[in-house]
Amino acid sequence: SHTYPARLARLARLARLARLSRPRPTVPRHHPPPPQPHFPIPRRSFSFRSRRTGGMPKSSVATHLPAALYAGGLAAMIAASFVDRRVLGPFVQLSGTGNGNIGEIWKSWHAVGCGYISVVNGLLVYSGTTSCVVILGNIYVFSIWGMQNMYHCVFNMDKIFKPGMWMHTMLCGGTALWSIKCLVSK
């Protein structure tokens, strides 16, 4: 019984017995709950469906739609002024020479900025969510625009602003105040 195959068979039996005699690890029947974060996660507190708003949450529409529409209107008006400058006639004094190269470049940048604000707010309305970060951005942009326009309307040193610019100033300020109201009521 000292042959090589016999020794292998004996070692295999001993290994099998050793495996059988070892205690098997116990597998838990359920997994423990995941660890909780150290900060509270806010829950959304708006209704997800509304027949009046076409199935979108009311707060998303009420919060982001005014900024989306107003910024989109500004972007469209500025873009249309590249085709016909008279679009800006109710707001600024049109000169025969135009705005110059720098003025045209700044006008292009302003149109892109207005379009960006409109797209971001419009996507939030479409997705049915609200974003405090975007609301803060709306407050920043529209309050700065409102203050800049108010300054130029009041002092009007170059006599380039017309009475229509007061309407634009009030709408910028109103959009900023609406965004503040929406942020405070969240």
Side-chain angles (χ1 to χ4, degrees):
S1 90
H2 295 294
T3 63
Y4 186 71
R7 282 186 192 167
L8 284 179
R10 185 172 171 225
L11 285 173
R13 273 195 310 269
L14 288 173
R16 192 171 5 137
L17 286 173
R19 265 186 273 133
L20 291 176
S21 65
R22 254 188 288 162
R24 292 186 178 183
T26 57
V27 178
R29 294 183 186 260
H30 68 282
H31 296 287
Q36 295 297 319
H38 298 292
F39 55 89
I41 298 174
R43 302 268 182 209
R44 292 199 174 120
S45 62
F46 52 77
S47 63
F48 277 98
R49 297 287 170 208
S50 169
R51 197 174 289 253
R52 185 174 54 113
T53 58
M56 291 184 281
K58 294 177 193 172
S59 64
S60 172
V61 173
T63 302
H64 295 288
L65 190 63
L69 292 177
Y70 187 56
L74 289 174
M77 183 179 69
I78 295 169
S81 74
F82 286 108
V83 177
D84 187 4
R85 292 183 49 235
R86 291 178 292 180
V87 172
L88 299 177
F91 303 99
V92 294
Q93 191 71 32
L94 299 176
S95 64
T97 59
N99 296 329
N101 290 340
I102 299 296
E104 293 299 316
I105 292 170
W106 279 97
K107 191 166 69 169
S108 300
W109 290 343
H110 186 54
V112 170
C114 292
Y116 174 78
I117 293 168
S118 178
V119 167
V120 168
N121 282 284
L123 288 174
L124 286 171
V125 169
Y126 180 76
S127 69
T129 58
T130 59
S131 169
C132 290
V133 174
V134 174
I135 294 172
L136 286 171
N138 290 340
I139 293 168
Y140 173 76
V141 167
F142 286 108
S143 62
I144 294 293
W145 285 346
M147 288 186 287
Q148 286 174 335
N149 292 329
M150 176 71 76
Y151 173 81
H152 290 293
C153 282
V154 168
F155 294 105
N156 204 2
M157 293 168 277
D158 298 332
K159 305 289 185 225
I160 59 169
F161 282 175
K162 289 186 174 179
M165 190 55 96
W166 279 101
M167 178 188 68
H168 171 60
T169 301
M170 294 302 141
L171 287 173
C172 281
T175 305
L177 289 174
W178 179 257
S179 296
I180 291 170
K181 180 225 173 260
C182 292
L183 185 67
V184 169
S185 68
K186 280 187 91 44

